[in-house]
Amino acid sequence: SQGASTKIRFLDGDYTINSELTLASSITFEGTGNVYLFVTSQGLLRYDTTSIGVSNKATFKDINISFISTNNDNEDMIGAFENFELTFENCTIAKRTTYQSIWRLFLNCTVKMINTDVDITMPNSGFGAPYDCFWVFGESTVELLNTHIWFTGKNPVNNGVFYDSKGTMTGGWITNTKKDTSNHGKSYILHSSPITFLGTQIRCREFAQDWNTYTSNGLRPSLDSCKIEILDGGTFAC
């Protein structure tokens, strides 16, 4: 019923989702670890803030989500998940992109991740659109516990994990190998985001951290008991 909480349990297997989902209530999607959701649409959960009678809350447990389309929306600043309150526990999320427009995986979301992997595959070339940017969390609030975020592909254009976001990351890895050694662009791990990293391991070709004092709450990001490894040809800047 509307406003109630619903649980959908998946048996082991592969499932295809070919359009965005509209939720009538808060829903928990629960699998067994051997459940694979293949999403062919650009977005999965996007909440229209003017909507009445729909929910913007969802939880995923023990589920693997793969966005199999390599195309992005051509719109400005949009995400696969948008305006949602989301929890992921023991999940994997994979996205491959052809790098069009200013794109985020999560935009204007509140996200909690526990024991979850996020895998982003970039093309090996860029400069194909006026704004070639990809960020995992954009304008979002995040709490990440033992979460691993991976970038692969040697794309030379700006992208990273956090953009104008806030929250904490405890444990886990941020592994970004996408930047090429010709030194094009910057490989931002964090931009304008008061994120607290606790015991996080960061491995990248270029680390650029924006210690921005003009964030909305005036807080700066911090690194505590972290390990940062800069790969060949890279730089560290903050």
Side-chain angles (χ1 to χ4, degrees):
S1 62
Q2 182 177 321
S5 180
T6 302
K7 178 181 285 187
I8 297 176
R9 300 190 66 181
F10 292 88
L11 300 178
D12 287 0
D14 298 347
Y15 301 82
T16 299
I17 300 175
N18 56 22
S19 63
E20 295 177 23
L21 303 179
T22 299
L23 309 184
S25 63
S26 173
I27 291 184
T28 296
F29 300 93
E30 188 171 296
T32 61
N34 294 312
V35 171
Y36 294 83
L37 304 184
F38 294 96
V39 183
T40 62
S41 55
Q42 310 304 327
L44 181 58
L45 293 171
R46 293 171 174 169
Y47 177 72
D48 183 351
T49 56
T50 63
S51 297
I52 299 175
V54 298
S55 174
N56 69 332
K57 296 181 180 180
T59 297
F60 295 85
K61 292 184 177 181
D62 300 301
I63 286 179
N64 306 288
I65 304 170
S66 180
F67 291 87
I68 64 176
S69 172
T70 58
N71 293 320
N72 295 334
D73 292 287
N74 289 321
E75 304 172 54
D76 186 19
M77 292 194 182
I78 198 163
F81 300 91
E82 194 167 325
N83 300 316
F84 252 83
E85 296 181 24
L86 299 159
T87 299
F88 299 89
E89 185 172 352
N90 303 321
C91 294
T92 66
I93 304 171
K95 170 65 181 171
R96 290 165 293 280
T97 175
T98 53
Y99 222 64
Q100 297 174 18
S101 79
I102 307 177
W103 217 83
R104 287 97 167 91
L105 186 60
F106 298 91
L107 177 63
N108 292 324
C109 289
T110 299
V111 184
K112 183 174 183 178
M113 288 186 173
I114 305 168
N115 301 325
T116 292
D117 279 11
V118 179
D119 299 297
I120 307 297
T121 303
M122 308 298 297
N124 283 333
S125 62
F127 307 106
Y131 301 100
D132 278 333
C133 292
F134 186 98
W135 299 85
V136 178
F137 301 101
E139 296 80 40
S140 296
T141 300
V142 296
E143 180 183 352
L144 310 177
L145 177 62
N146 195 33
T147 287
H148 306 281
I149 301 171
W150 313 90
F151 276 87
T152 55
K154 296 181 180 180
N155 198 292
V157 195
N158 292 349
N159 60 72
V161 180
F162 304 100
Y163 185 93
D164 199 17
S165 294
K166 59 185 179 180
T168 61
M169 180 169 183
T170 303
W173 286 83
I174 297 176
T175 302
N176 186 340
T177 61
K178 68 114 192 94
K179 187 177 184 300
D180 68 7
T181 55
S182 62
N183 207 31
H184 289 115
K186 291 284 188 180
S187 175
Y188 286 102
I189 296 297
L190 182 147
H191 178 79
S192 302
S193 303
I195 300 287
T196 299
F197 295 96
L198 299 173
T200 300
Q201 298 189 62
I202 300 171
R203 186 174 188 264
C204 58
R205 293 187 183 277
E206 185 157 337
F207 184 96
Q209 183 168 354
D210 187 354
W211 298 80
N212 192 331
T213 58
Y214 299 102
T215 51
S216 58
N217 54 16
L219 299 176
R220 298 184 181 191
S222 66
L223 296 162
D224 188 357
S225 302
C226 296
K227 177 182 178 181
I228 301 176
E229 180 183 2
I230 306 299
L231 302 180
D232 59 295
T235 61
F236 178 90
C238 66

